[in-house]
Amino acid sequence: MTADILTIDTPSGTVRATARSRGKDAVVYALTGALRGSVHVTGTHHPRHWNQFTALRVSLGSANAMEATAPAESLPRRRGSATGYTGGLVRWTDADYPYQHAATTPVESAAGNAPSPTTGETLALVMRACAEDVAHRPDLHRLLDASRERETPGLLRYLDWSMRKVEAEAACFESKAQTHRRDARSAVSSWWTAARWLTARPHPVLALVLMNYRGSLARRADYLPGYAEYAERAAREERDRVGRIRTEISSLRAQQRPRRRTRRPAVDYPA
């Protein structure tokens, strides 16, 4: 197979990236020119829709940074420099907004130092160019299918845990809302009881009870309904999240099932 060579103009000079497929799972670019090292590109899930495998993950080095640490010698470095850099980005396209999106993880040296502005821009341009190149490869669907097989088991474990956590948070907010409503009703009832007592038998202590100050019945009757509304709104939002997570889990599990081959119906030919 003939390797594809990508030519990229950067502030540091021209970078040539030679693409080589690594099985069906990834494309690794060997860098020459202004940069030396490797860039690893593989499929991954959409950042906001974890059941949709439509994104590309770019990692500096020869390995997927989400699964392994790239060998130091494969980390991109400027010509004449011994400093290699780690980092990456995720590239995706939304159906509603069909232009390219990219989320970049911090680029830094192996010692944890940020690159110079010129080196940082050079590395960003190379990562974007490699992602764009893979996005237009005829075998892109194989990379995305491979990412579905690779990531689905871990995603299901995480989403199952996340759904239980969100359900617990929703129940907690619902309990807080009920408590605030109950305490608000109690404060209102106590305030009116004190008001009736003050009308029947005026007394300075009862007047003090009816005043609006921090911690008073009047203050609690005023702010507790607002606290209850906030907790109820938060509970609804958490329940909505549970619904979205449950939908993604169902979709991922459906994608795990092997597709059945449909048999061609038998044809009765006339004797």
Side-chain angles (χ1 to χ4, degrees), residues 97-167:
Y97 303 94
Y99 51 84
Q100 179 182 329
H101 300 263
T104 306
T105 57
V107 174
E108 59 184 16
S109 70
N113 300 318
S116 68
T118 299
T119 301
E121 185 178 353
T122 296
L123 292 168
L125 285 170
V126 169
M127 287 192 290
R128 288 177 181 272
C130 292
E132 188 68 18
D133 185 58
V134 172
H136 292 91
R137 288 174 65 97
D139 59 348
L140 173 63
H141 65 283
R142 293 191 180 91
L143 258 67
L144 298 177
D145 287 344
S147 70
R148 179 182 292 106
E149 295 176 8
R150 181 183 69 249
E151 295 185 6
T152 294
L155 286 175
L156 283 173
R157 289 192 296 270
Y158 172 76
L159 290 174
D160 282 334
W161 170 84
S162 182
M163 186 170 67
R164 291 193 298 270
K165 184 174 183 294
V166 174
E167 285 178 332

Side-chain angles (χ1 to χ4, degrees), residues 241-260:
R241 286 183 60 195
V242 170
R244 291 194 297 271
I245 294 172
R246 185 175 286 113
T247 298
E248 290 183 340
I249 289 174
S250 298
S251 176
L252 285 170
R253 286 175 177 163
Q255 293 176 51
Q256 275 189 318
R257 301 189 191 104
R259 297 178 181 176
R260 295 180 179 178

Side-chain angles (χ1 to χ4, degrees), residues 1-5 18-24 26-29 133 137-140 142-143:
M1 176 181 176
T2 303
D4 298 325
I5 300 179
T18 304
R20 297 187 183 277
S21 295
R22 181 173 290 179
K24 65 177 183 178
V27 178
V28 177
Y29 290 84
D133 185 58
R137 288 174 65 97
D139 59 348
L140 173 63
R142 293 191 180 91
L143 258 67

